[in-house]
Each structure stands twice: as C-alpha cells, then as structure tokens.
Amino acid sequence: MDFAYILEALPDLMTGLKTTLIVSFLAIFLSCLIGLLGAVLRTSGVKPLQYAVTAYVEFIRGTPYLVQIFFIFYGLPSLGMRFSIFWSGVIALTAWASAFQIENFRAGLAAVGRGMYDASASLGLKRWQHSVFVILPLATRAALPSAMNTIVATVKNSAYLQAIGLVELTFVAVDRIAYDFRAIEMFASICVIYLLCVFTISGLGYVVERRLSRPFGGR
Amino acid sequence: MTAKEKTAEMTDPEIAVELSGVDKWFSILQVLHDVNLTVRRGEKVVVCGPSGSGKSTMIRCINYLERHQKGRIIVNGTELTDNKKIIDRIRQDVGMVFQNFNLYPHLTVLENCTLAPRWVKGVGRKDAEAVARAYLERVRIPDKADFYPNQLSGGQQQRAAIARSLCMNPKIMLFDEPTSALDPELVREVLDTMAQLASDGMTMVCVTHEMGFARQVADRVVFMDAGRIVETAPPEEFFSNPRESRTKAFLNQILH
C-alpha cells in the first residue's frame, strides 16, 4: 500500500467528503422531518392520508434504491421536473431515508400508550399540548435507536449517488482509480473515512440516547 | 329562556355528578345499561363489582374519557356534550387517578405537577411550583419533587399522581382502581392519602376493591354487575345486609 499516494489524494478525497456530508446532512434533516410528519399522518385515522403514506413507504421499500435514483435523475425530467445532480441526489437520498424514518417514528408513536392520553385529557390539556409536551418527547425516545440506524444508513447510501455523477467521496475514489489504478489505496481510504463518519454519528446517537433514557432509569 | 339557562335552573347546586339513563356500547357490546347515579357535593362514593362489570367505563364517562351514547351526564350543573369547550372546562374541575398512575415518565414529579396548571390555567412557573410543592408535602413526598417517576416506588408514584391531579384544584376526584397495580405493602399509604383527602371534604368517586377503605370512608357503596348498578347502600348496610343475591355472591368471594 502506497501511503504517499493516499496523502497526495487526500485533498481530493476531502472535497468529495464535503459533498457527502452536505448531501447526507440535508437528507438526514429532511427525512427526519418527513418521517415524523408521515408517521403522524399514518396514524391520524384519516384513511386517504394513511393509504397515501403506506403506499409511499411500500414503494420505496419494494424497489431498488439505485432504480429510485435513476428514476429521479433520468425519469423525472421527461415529466418536466429537472433538478441538478446535487438536488437530484438530495431528493433521492431523502426519499429513500424518509420511508424508513416514517416506519421508525410510527413505532415510536405506537410505544406511547393510551394511558398518557388519558392523563393529559383528564388534566384538561389540549390535543396539541399533549402532542408537543408528551407524545413528541416520548415517541422520539422510543424511535431513537432505529432512527439512528437509518441515519447511519443514509450516510453510507450517499455513495450510490456517484452513479448519477455526484462528486462525492466514492465518486472521487472511483474517478482517481480510473486514472491511476490505485484501487486498494483508494477503497481502503474511503472505507476508513466512512467508518470514521459512522462512528462519530453512532457515538453522538449513543450520548443522546443515554441522556434521554436517564429518567427511565436507563443505562 | 335558553336551554342552557333551563339546565342551570333545574340543577341542584348540591349535586356534583348526575348520571341518568346512561347507556354505552363498545361497537355491538353494551357495557352500560340504564345507569343512574347521583353524587352530592362532598360525598364519597365507592364503586365495586366484578371485572368487566362497567365500573371503570362508568367513571371514565364522568370526565368524558369515554362517550356515552344514551342518557345524560351532568357534572357541576353542566351537561356533557361533544362541545370541546364544555369538556375542557369540566375536565379542569374533575381530577382523575388511574390504576397505572399514568405519570409522564420523561418529566420530574414537580414537572408532572406543574404542566397542566401552567398550560391549561396559565399559572406562572413559580406559583405553579409552590402549589405543587405544597401538594407533594400533603401526600408526604416533598423530597421526591425532582425525581423521575421510575425512581419512585409504586405507592409514591400513585401519591405523586394524586398530587398532580390536586394541583388543578379539582372539585371532584375520580379514582379508577388506584391501588390495584400496587404491591400489597404499598396499598396502605395510598389509601391513607385518599382518606385524608376525603376528610378534607373532597367529592370522590372511587372504583376499588379495598373493602376496608369503603367501610371507613364511603358514604355510599355502589355495586355493579354486567353494566348495571345492582345495589346502592351505605357501607354498614351494604356489607352486613346486602339485598341482592349477586351482591351477596360477590361479597362472599372477595371478603375471604
């Protein structure tokens, strides 16, 4: 392994990493919002909304992620919706992650028992007050471990976006290999970089989870 | 004269809760049959009966956690209807304590006690906390104010739940099997708290199987079976001389 070569390639890789992080961060943020909203709609009792959200989740879970990316980047323009490579990437990654976050938050909402509603109602709290002060914090806690899994998967799945030419970390590595044929150096490097990102995120998640589970006598 | 004025005129201010001809169904299963019950102000009513007899459903109807489909329920002179404003106002006057405490696990005991006063009644944080601490003192857990529910014993949690209800300064308290989820040695402390509340003059409707408590505290005991009120009597009479055969059979089972 040629470490001097890796060092030489590092600035390029960092540029790619920057894009990876920006796209991932946007997708994580948006998918958590959509996940929460979707979960609320899916448990709202309004049948058409429930069906729409369920259909969306099943579509995303039932089709290959790569096909979804191509659908958005190559398919949508013929329907008159044209996005840049960057935004196509953000949309594709968000669309994929949202489906899973909807399921995570749905499980979180289901974990908040009927007893909490009884308590709030008997105290005279309004529905929105109950949602904000009771359901949201409790559902978030319950959903957090699986939501963290999806967040980690979101970062890793940003690598697929090299297929539409987004210059992110994997794209940079593959691109350099095409010129210099240093496959082992490049793939080993980006593996380490992805691992560092993932460890950082799961470490943060662990800290948040511990903090949130303190009132429950948790670890 | 509007319908509202008419209701106000007809109701006796001494009556806290009145159920007349109340029927309720869970889909096709009828769980309440023509329930009639009047609770006077300051009165303590204990409701007992076998499981599935409709006791919990009945008291949950009083603060509209369950909707009745027929008959009338009047609380503090106001009839329960689908009107949200009326229900919100009545719920502020009616406290409820549950079998499983239903404390908010992510909030401290003090926060549990101040959430509703602050957001429903608009009480300032400091005032709400002062009131909460006073009630926690009264249920004898002032030192647990900053603990989370899971750090408390079952008996302490239930007393915290009682304090949380009292912080809203209710006129009527409903208890839905408040000691059924407790270890036997913790039942006493909760019943003592309830007895103290009773002696302070609170109007109480209490679903419980604690017959000692019924004897000591209740003005009347109501026995329900299969969704109907079978018998209502003062405790001495109820325990020593029950009229109905179903009451006798029930008492035989639980008093041994």
Side-chain angles (χ1 to χ4, degrees):
Chain A
M1 184 117 65
D2 186 348
F3 286 99
Y5 179 76
I6 292 175
L7 219 56
E8 187 198 314
L10 211 51
D12 271 4
L13 291 175
M14 287 301 117
T15 316
L17 176 64
K18 197 173 141 197
T19 305
T20 291
L21 291 178
I22 292 171
V23 169
S24 301
F25 177 79
L26 283 170
I28 288 166
F29 178 75
L30 293 171
S31 63
C32 284
L33 275 184
I34 295 170
L36 187 60
L37 186 75
V40 170
L41 293 181
R42 200 170 173 175
T43 53
S44 63
V46 185
K47 288 272 184 267
L49 291 175
Q50 273 175 298
Y51 293 144
V53 176
T54 307
Y56 171 75
V57 170
E58 292 308 322
F59 177 78
I60 296 291
R61 287 205 301 198
T63 52
Y65 175 47
L66 195 59
V67 174
Q68 295 160 18
I69 297 171
F70 288 155
F71 184 89
I72 287 167
F73 187 66
Y74 297 115
L76 288 188
S78 56
L79 297 174
M81 286 184 274
R82 188 178 300 275
F83 303 101
S84 66
I85 292 177
F86 177 83
W87 286 108
S88 295
V90 172
I91 291 168
L93 193 54
T94 303
W96 174 85
S98 295
F100 290 89
Q101 295 295 17
I102 287 171
E103 289 300 275
N104 296 335
F105 281 108
R106 187 168 70 106
L109 288 177
V112 181
R114 158 93 206 204
M116 291 295 103
Y117 171 76
D118 285 349
S120 294
S122 74
L123 288 165
L125 287 172
K126 297 214 176 2
R127 257 206 127 76
W128 72 263
Q129 293 169 331
H130 175 61
S131 301
V132 172
F133 298 130
V134 182
I135 295 183
L136 189 64
L138 289 177
T140 307
R141 278 166 174 77
L144 195 67
S146 45
M148 285 311 302
N149 279 338
T150 303
I151 286 175
V152 164
T154 307
V155 176
K156 291 187 293 181
N157 275 357
S158 67
Y160 279 83
L161 299 175
Q162 64 90 22
I164 55 170
L166 180 72
V167 188
E168 45 68 67
L169 188 56
T170 304
F171 183 96
V172 172
V174 172
D175 191 46
R176 283 198 71 115
I177 293 166
Y179 290 109
D180 301 334
F181 308 108
R182 307 279 194 140
I184 182 70
E185 280 84 358
M186 283 298 94
F187 284 131
S189 307
I190 65 170
C191 279
V192 169
I193 296 171
Y194 278 120
L195 274 173
L196 287 175
C197 293
V198 167
F199 286 156
T200 309
I201 292 168
S202 30
L204 278 174
Y206 182 70
V207 171
V208 175
E209 215 175 296
R210 257 182 65 149
R211 248 194 91 83
L212 292 184
S213 64
R214 231 173 5 196
F216 300 86
R219 297 152 288 173
Chain B
M1 189 185 283
T2 67
K4 205 174 172 185
E5 281 167 326
K6 213 167 162 184
T7 317
E9 191 194 45
M10 286 189 310
T11 50
D12 181 341
E14 283 308 300
I15 293 175
V17 180
E18 185 176 1
L19 292 85
S20 46
V22 171
D23 287 348
K24 174 164 178 65
W25 287 264
F26 285 130
S27 66
I28 56 158
L29 177 71
Q30 186 165 7
V31 287
L32 293 179
H33 294 264
D34 188 29
V35 169
N36 293 284
L37 178 71
T38 305
V39 182
R40 306 187 69 80
R41 211 162 286 294
E43 199 176 20
K44 290 93 185 107
V45 173
V46 162
V47 183
C48 62
S51 79
S53 60
K55 335 178 271 295
S56 289
T57 305
M58 183 187 73
I59 74 161
R60 288 167 63 86
C61 281
I62 296 176
N63 65 351
Y64 219 56
L65 286 184
E66 301 286 356
R67 266 151 226 222
H68 57 292
Q69 281 104 11
K70 261 180 84 179
R72 304 177 75 191
I73 300 177
I74 298 171
V75 178
N76 282 329
T78 308
E79 181 170 358
L80 302 191
T81 64
D82 269 328
N83 184 323
K84 267 197 171 153
K85 278 190 179 154
I86 288 179
I87 300 305
D88 280 348
R89 200 178 65 221
I90 282 172
R91 282 174 174 167
Q92 291 182 40
D93 283 343
V94 181
M96 190 165 198
V97 174
F98 303 90
Q99 182 175 355
N100 295 317
F101 327 135
N102 293 348
L103 289 166
Y104 302 127
H106 60 301
L107 300 179
T108 64
V109 168
L110 191 68
E111 290 164 343
N112 263 279
C113 290
T114 55
L115 183 69
R118 288 180 62 192
W119 287 92
V120 178
K121 294 202 156 169
V123 179
R125 185 200 176 104
K126 281 202 168 147
D127 292 340
E129 286 185 354
V131 170
R133 286 187 194 279
Y135 279 117
L136 289 173
E137 182 93 41
R138 203 159 129 192
V139 301
R140 297 191 306 282
I141 45 169
D143 50 326
K144 302 294 182 197
D146 299 318
F147 285 58
Y148 287 99
N150 274 19
Q151 298 169 307
L152 272 55
S153 74
Q156 291 168 336
Q157 288 188 55
Q158 193 59 295
R159 285 185 283 153
I162 293 172
R164 175 176 71 174
S165 269
L166 293 176
C167 284
M168 287 298 282
N169 199 17
K171 298 191 176 75
I172 301 162
M173 284 288 286
L174 307 174
F175 292 86
D176 188 3
E177 304 206 28
T179 58
S180 301
L182 296 176
D183 291 333
E185 75 272 19
L186 302 175
V187 169
R188 178 50 42 200
E189 63 191 54
V190 171
L191 293 180
D192 284 348
T193 306
M194 289 163 63
Q196 186 200 342
L197 194 60
S199 68
D200 292 344
M202 178 66 78
T203 308
M204 291 166 60
V205 181
C206 210
V207 174
T208 181
H209 294 125
E210 295 295 332
M211 291 302 128
F213 174 80
R215 242 183 249 273
Q216 180 202 345
V217 171
D219 296 311
R220 269 189 302 153
V221 181
V222 171
F223 173 70
M224 287 184 78
D225 189 27
R228 289 186 170 82
I229 292 185
V230 175
E231 184 163 356
T232 306
E236 322 80 71
E237 202 181 313
F238 182 84
F239 290 111
S240 60
N241 195 17
R243 274 168 295 151
E244 302 290 331
S245 57
R246 276 189 287 180
T247 318
K248 285 174 194 162
F250 176 74
L251 287 174
N252 261 328
Q253 277 187 332
I254 63 160
L255 294 177
H256 288 289

